[in-house]
């Protein structure tokens, strides 16, 4: 046997396959790899299918035909004139003539009719005088693909009703406060409440979280106390949100009532269930997420950058401020996006803290009572009427758009900081 042939032979004291056994071994490993690739692809397909079904279910409920009945048709109330030809004062006069004095005073007490827009006054006319009500509704699929079924149902069950294609997601839906009737309910109060809450939450949690992360990564020593703190921060990120709600109820709503109710600034309010209490609770909820993500971002900054800065005579803080934080900021913003997404979709802590399930006045400050979009969706989906599920689907679309918009702003800021490095 030549020296070259000897090199190609496997060592006799090993168990490695060779020859045909090696080829069979390679074929088996490739088959296993192919199976895993197909399983991973199947996982992706299942996830995309589930997401697609979810979006289809939401859109299918948010649009479709409705059957409307009136006690007095709007055309009769407007004397067959188009709405554009009727002034707001005429609409108010029609309402005043057809409702009781007490009801008219109540409507003005909620919000003066003179100060409302013409569209809002017309909606009041439809609700209070025309007594419009949805007697039946169809999904978008039925409306588009089963028109004969819709026509047959209208002919047999609702001969006096008017068929109308309705987008439950409309400008009126966005610009109208809550109502006990689904065809007149809107999400304006909930949108403002969610925006107030999320803005205050970020203002509170972001500086606290980043500050804590800087201290733990750059200043804190590797002693036992700091390891305990770090372990607890990691554990707090997995605590159920309802626990944070109970904590917020005990501390921010009850113990700190003079602060969260606004009494400390002279407001005549003894109820601590305000936007400020909710924002403090949500800040507590997302604080571990912000700290952990900020720590990871700071830890990823090369140590050589710090050493070079210190070698040139910069102080510790100058090194952190001018070199570490600018490099870590895109990663910090990414963690902030994830935390904000969790805060805006949470429902359980807000229920415990005391968000209102029915409120018609818009929040005007951090000490106001409020509701939020997740609370509204939860409340509407628990109602027995099908129409409430329709407007709940429309509210989910609003919540998704709001979430994507806020995330887009954060992503744009992150990319701008990344390009400036």
């Amino acid at each position: 046997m030549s020296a070259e042939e000897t090199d190609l032979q496997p060592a006799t004291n090993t168990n490695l396959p060779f020859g045909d056994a090696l080829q069979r071994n390679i074929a088996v490993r490739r088959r296993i790899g192919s199976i895993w690739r197909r399983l991973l692809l199947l996982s992706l397909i299942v996830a995309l299918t589930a997401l697609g079904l979810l979006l289809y279910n939401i859109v299918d409920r948010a649009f479709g035909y409705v059957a409307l009945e009136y006690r007095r048709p709007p055309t009769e109330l407007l004397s067959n004139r188009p709405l554009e030809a009727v002034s707001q004062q005429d609409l108010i006069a029609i309402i005043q003539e057809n409702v009781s004095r007490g009801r008219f005073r109540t409507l003005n007490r909620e919000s003066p009719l003179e100060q409302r827009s013409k569209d809002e006054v017309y909606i009041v006319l439809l609700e209070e005088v025309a007594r419009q009500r949805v007697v039946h509704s169809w999904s978008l699929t039925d409306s588009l693909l089963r028109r004969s079924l819709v026509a047959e149902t209208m002919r047999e069950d609702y001969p006096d009703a008017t068929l109308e294609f309705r987008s439950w997601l409309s400008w009126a839906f966005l610009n109208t406060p809550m109502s006990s009737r689904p065809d007149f309910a809107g999400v304006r109060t909930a949108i403002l409440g969610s925006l107030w809450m999320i803005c205050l939450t970020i203002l509170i949690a972001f500086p606290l979280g980043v500050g804590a992360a800087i201290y733990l990564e750059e200043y804190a020593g590797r002693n036992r106390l700091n390891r305990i703190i770090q372990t607890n921060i990691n554990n707090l990120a997995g605590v159920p949100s309802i626990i944070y709600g109970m904590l917020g109820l005990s501390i921010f709503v009850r113990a700190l009532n003079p602060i969260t109710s606004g009494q400390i600034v002279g407001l005549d309010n003894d109820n601590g269930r305000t936007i400020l209490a909710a924002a403090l609770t949500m800040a507590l909820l997302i604080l571990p997420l912000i700290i952990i993500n900020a720590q990871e971002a700071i830890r990823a900054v090369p140590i050589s950058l710090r050493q070079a800065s210190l070698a040139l005579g910069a102080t510790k803080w100058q090194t952190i401020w001018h070199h570490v934080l600018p490099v870590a900021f895109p990663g910090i913003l990414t963690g902030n996006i994830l935390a904000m997404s969790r805060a805006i979709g949470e429902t359980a802590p807000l229920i415990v803290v005391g968000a209102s399930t029915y409120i018609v006045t818009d929040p005007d400050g951090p000490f106001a009572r409020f509701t939020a979009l997740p609370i509204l969706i939860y409340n509407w989906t628990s109602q027995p009427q099908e129409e409430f599920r329709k407007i709940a689907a429309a509210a989910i679309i609003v919540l998704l758009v709001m979430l994507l918009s806020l995330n887009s702003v954060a992503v744009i800021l992150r990319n701008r900081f990344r390009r400036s490095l």
Side-chain angles (χ1 to χ4, degrees):
M1 182 178 295
S2 66
E4 185 178 355
E5 290 174 337
T6 306
D7 293 339
L8 294 176
Q9 294 294 332
T12 55
N13 58 350
T14 65
N15 294 321
L16 294 176
F18 64 93
D20 293 340
L22 177 60
Q23 295 302 323
R24 287 195 298 272
N25 183 278
I26 292 174
V28 169
R29 282 187 284 156
R30 285 178 176 172
R31 279 199 298 273
I32 293 174
S34 177
I35 291 172
W36 274 109
R37 184 176 64 81
R38 291 174 184 174
L39 287 175
L40 296 174
L41 178 61
L42 180 63
S43 302
L44 177 63
I45 292 172
V46 170
L48 291 177
T49 303
L51 182 61
L53 289 174
L54 175 65
L55 293 177
Y56 165 74
N57 189 42
I58 293 171
V59 173
D60 191 47
R61 288 175 179 271
F63 305 92
Y65 279 119
V66 295
L68 297 173
E69 284 187 352
Y70 300 93
R71 191 175 70 175
R72 293 183 64 184
T75 52
E76 177 187 329
L77 292 170
L78 301 179
S79 303
N80 293 320
R81 292 176 295 173
L83 179 61
E84 294 76 16
V86 181
S87 68
Q88 182 169 341
Q89 292 302 325
D90 291 338
L91 294 176
I92 296 175
I94 294 172
I95 295 172
Q96 190 171 11
E97 290 172 2
N98 290 278
V99 300
S100 66
R101 291 183 180 179
R103 183 58 186 161
F104 190 74
R105 282 196 298 271
T106 302
L107 291 172
N108 272 308
R109 196 181 306 120
E110 291 175 355
S111 177
L113 293 174
E114 298 282 352
Q115 298 178 9
R116 303 189 194 188
S117 66
K118 184 179 177 181
D119 290 338
E120 290 177 329
V121 175
Y122 182 65
I123 291 174
V124 173
L125 184 143
L126 291 176
E127 184 176 5
E128 299 290 335
V129 184
R131 296 296 179 92
Q132 171 188 297
R133 67 188 183 100
V134 177
V135 291
H136 195 76
S137 59
W138 290 267
S139 66
L140 181 61
T141 303
D142 290 341
S143 300
L144 296 179
L145 304 179
R146 299 171 185 166
R147 292 290 302 275
S148 58
L149 176 64
V150 174
E152 183 181 350
T153 306
M154 284 291 295
R155 188 170 53 253
E156 294 180 356
D157 298 337
Y158 311 104
D160 299 329
T162 302
L163 186 65
E164 178 181 293
F165 187 86
R166 170 169 291 192
S167 167
W168 294 93
L169 178 61
S170 62
W171 174 248
F173 180 71
L174 297 174
N175 196 35
T176 305
M178 296 175 66
S179 172
S180 58
R181 295 178 55 185
D183 42 341
F184 295 104
V187 292
R188 186 184 67 197
T189 310
I191 290 176
L192 294 174
S194 291
L195 289 177
W196 267 105
M197 185 195 67
I198 200 66
C199 290
L200 284 176
T201 300
I202 294 301
L203 286 176
I204 297 168
F206 186 72
L208 286 177
V210 175
I214 292 173
Y215 178 80
L216 289 172
E217 284 300 316
E218 300 291 337
Y219 291 102
R222 305 299 174 191
N223 54 40
R224 185 174 182 181
L225 175 63
N226 289 328
R227 284 197 296 273
I228 293 174
I229 293 174
Q230 186 65 59
T231 303
N232 281 282
I233 290 173
N234 295 336
N235 291 333
L236 284 172
V239 171
S241 58
I242 189 73
I243 304 299
Y244 287 99
M246 296 170 68
L247 191 65
L249 178 66
S250 300
I251 298 177
F252 302 129
V253 176
R254 293 174 179 166
L256 299 180
N257 183 279
I259 297 175
T260 54
S261 65
Q263 291 179 2
I264 197 169
V265 294
L267 295 181
D268 184 18
N269 180 21
D270 59 354
N271 190 348
R273 300 175 185 272
T274 59
I275 293 177
L276 181 59
L280 289 168
T281 305
M282 301 308 281
L284 208 60
L285 173 70
I286 65 173
L287 201 54
L289 287 177
I290 294 179
I291 293 175
I292 292 171
N293 285 288
Q295 280 186 278
E296 292 294 335
I298 293 171
R299 203 174 296 153
V301 178
I303 190 68
S304 58
L305 198 64
R306 297 177 177 83
Q307 293 172 340
S309 176
L310 294 172
L312 291 173
T315 64
K316 181 88 171 176
W317 172 244
Q318 287 174 324
T319 300
I320 295 170
W321 183 255
H322 294 288
H323 301 286
V324 176
L325 281 182
V327 175
F329 205 67
I332 294 174
L333 276 180
T334 301
N336 198 58
I337 293 170
L338 297 174
M340 188 171 61
S341 301
R342 181 177 181 187
I344 201 170
E346 280 289 348
T347 307
L350 298 180
I351 292 175
V352 178
V353 167
S356 302
T357 55
Y358 185 83
I359 184 172
V360 295
T361 55
D362 297 333
D364 56 358
F367 303 110
R369 293 176 62 238
F370 75 105
T371 188
L373 277 172
I375 297 291
L376 209 60
I377 294 167
Y378 168 76
N379 184 37
W380 283 345
T381 51
S382 62
Q383 300 297 320
Q385 295 95 329
E386 176 64 22
E387 287 71 31
F388 274 112
R389 298 189 185 91
K390 303 280 187 183
I391 58 175
I396 290 172
I397 295 176
V398 174
L399 180 61
L400 289 176
V401 171
M402 183 187 297
L403 177 63
L404 293 176
S405 301
L406 292 174
N407 285 353
S408 299
V409 172
V411 170
I412 291 172
L413 289 174
R414 183 189 64 186
N415 293 338
R416 177 167 295 183
F417 277 107
R418 187 171 289 167
R419 283 198 299 269
S420 65
L421 294 177

